[in-house]
Structures are given as structure tokens and as C-alpha cells.
Amino acid sequence: PPAPPTPPPPPLKSPPPPLPSPPPLPPSPPAPPLPPPLPPLPPPPPAPPSPEPLPPLPPEPPPAPPPPPAPPTPPPPPPSPPPSPSPPLLPQPGVRGKQLVAGGSLVAVLALSLCGAGTLLHLSLAAAFLLVGVGCLTVEQAFRAIQHRVLLTIAASFGLGAALDRSGLSAMLGALLAELEPLLGPLPFLGAVFLFTSALSCLVSNAACVVLVYGVLKDLHDGGGLAALRPAQVMLAMMMGASASFATPIGYQTNLMVLQPGGYSFADFARLGVPLTLSTALCAAASIYSLPASWLP
């Protein structure tokens, strides 16, 4: 079949209207004036002079030669054997026999001393020689058992007693004691004598204490100050008080002997000895005052 007819082209559009011209630009402002030029820089300071060169270091000393090797240490000498105990002078008994010898020596010393067969010092030395001779202890153990502090304290107590006597303190205390007798009465006065002697015995030996207090009480009796008491009663209270030194460890040798081994202190003796001294004084004063006249001169 034949082709259809071509349609006619559309009509052309009219051209667009011209654009309006832009408005004129405003005039530009005048440029600001330039700043004045900067002043010229100062010239740089002159460079410091170069330091003098250091002197050259001294050459190092040559290394010291190594020390010679130490000589070998000699081996320690073998320990020397402990010294053998001294052999007993007499036949050595067994353990049971040593116990019997030690106990018998103590009983014999006390019995012979009471009988007046010898002084306590000589009898104790004889017993010590016997114990060493039969082997109950060696000579070394006997010397180690001597407590030098105890001996020095005992020796110093005699000096303290002499100082109390020569200074007049004991005489002053005796005068005060004499003034208390009419005020206290017989029984309390015996207790006061006991306590006074016991307190003095806590500072000096009991022998020195008896020597001091005896002179005071003798002068008191000769002056007629003990009208209600017999002299033997006062002296007995003095002797018992001199042996009641419980409040200090320096009052008697046995107190010093147990001080260090028992671990006691001065306060322990004071804490236990003061109540014991007071109770002993009460019992002693009552017992002495109640003694019949036929028992005491």
C-alpha cells in the first residue's frame, strides 16, 4: 500500500526579548596611604672572643699491676678438748651417796654450830672441802658458785652502819624512840622496837644493827625510861627485829642469794616483805609481853 503523507513541521517560536543591561557599579573608595618605612635594624653585636684552648689532659698513668695472690688460709686448728674435771680426793660415791653426804654435811654444820663446836664460817668451809673431796662438785663449780656481788654488798653494809653511828643518826632515832615509850605503853613500845630494828636491819647487816640499837636501848634503860618493861623483853624484841629484814634484798645474805636466781626485783621484796614484817611485829610483841617473869631475867 502507499505510505501515509508526512505531517507539516510545527511553526518556529519567536526569539526571546533581550535582557536588561546591569546597573552601573559605584565608584571604588581611594586606597589608604602606605605606613612610613621601618627604621633600619641596629648592627649585630660583635662576636665574643673565642675562649682559650684548654690545656691538654695529662696522660693516664699505666694500670697498676695486679696484687699478688693471697696465701692460702691455713685450716683452723681443731678445737681443744674441754678440761677434764679435777679428780676427787676421796672415793667418789654414787648419786645416792652424794645426796646423803650433802644433806649430812648441812645437818652437821648446823648441829655443831648450835653446840658451840666452832664458828659458822669454819664449819661451812670444812663442809665445802668435804663436798669437793668426795666429788659432789668440782673445784671449778665451787668457784663459780661464789657470788662476788653478794660479798661486795655485805662488805659495803658495814660501811653504811658505821656512817649511821658516826653521823649521830642512830642516836637521834633512839632519842625519838625513848620519847614514844610513855605515850605508847608497854605492848605498842615492844612493837615499835621490833619495827625500828627491822627497818634498820633492811639497810645494814643484822650484826651492825644490833650493835647500834643495843647502845640506844641500854642508855634508855639506864636512864629509867623502861619502868613498865624488863630489859630482857626489850632486848628480845630487838634481836627478833634484827632478823626480820624481809622488806629489802640487801638486808641479809640469803635475800641476795635468791635475788638473781629467782628473778626477783626490789619491789617484790617490798611488796611481800612489808606486810610480813608488820604481822611478825604484832605476833612477836604480843608473845614477848605475855612471857612469864620466870622465863626472862
Side-chain angles (χ1 to χ4, degrees):
T6 303
L12 295 176
K13 294 182 178 181
S14 60
L19 295 176
S21 61
L25 295 176
S28 59
L34 295 176
L38 296 176
L41 296 176
S50 60
E52 298 180 358
L54 297 176
L57 296 176
E60 295 183 358
T73 305
S80 58
S84 59
S86 56
L89 303 177
L90 301 177
Q92 186 174 4
V95 177
R96 184 63 177 176
K98 292 180 180 179
Q99 295 175 353
L100 294 177
V101 171
S105 301
L106 177 61
V107 174
V109 168
L110 296 178
L112 293 175
S113 178
L114 291 176
C115 296
T119 62
L120 186 60
L121 174 62
H122 296 160
L123 295 174
S124 301
L125 289 177
F129 279 113
L130 176 62
L131 294 177
V132 174
V134 300
C136 291
L137 72 163
T138 63
V139 178
E140 292 79 8
Q141 291 173 344
F143 276 104
R144 285 198 302 267
I146 299 175
Q147 300 183 10
H148 300 87
R149 292 185 178 180
V150 176
L151 298 179
L152 291 176
T153 306
I154 295 172
S157 65
F158 288 99
L160 181 58
L164 292 177
D165 186 17
R166 295 182 181 181
S167 63
L169 179 60
S170 61
M172 183 183 66
L173 295 177
L176 294 177
L177 191 63
E179 295 178 1
L180 290 178
E181 195 272 337
L183 302 176
L184 297 178
L187 182 59
F189 181 74
L190 288 176
V193 171
F194 184 98
L195 293 177
F196 170 70
T197 313
S198 177
L200 189 59
S201 180
C202 291
L203 302 177
V204 299
S205 64
N206 55 352
C209 176
V210 169
V211 170
L212 295 175
V213 181
Y214 174 77
V216 174
L217 297 179
K218 184 177 181 300
D219 295 340
L220 181 61
H221 175 263
D222 294 342
L226 300 177
L229 293 171
R230 295 185 297 276
Q233 291 177 310
V234 182
M235 296 302 169
L236 185 57
M238 176 198 66
M239 290 187 294
M240 295 184 66
S243 300
S245 52
F246 309 132
T248 60
I250 62 174
Y252 200 66
Q253 298 91 324
T254 51
N255 297 9
L256 290 171
M257 291 178 183
V258 301
L259 176 63
Q260 186 174 2
Y264 300 114
S265 63
F266 200 98
D268 295 333
F269 280 86
R271 184 171 60 252
L272 300 177
V274 171
L276 181 60
T277 302
L278 294 176
S279 58
T280 306
L282 179 61
C283 296
S287 302
I288 295 172
Y289 184 73
S290 60
L291 287 177
S294 59
W295 288 22
L296 295 173

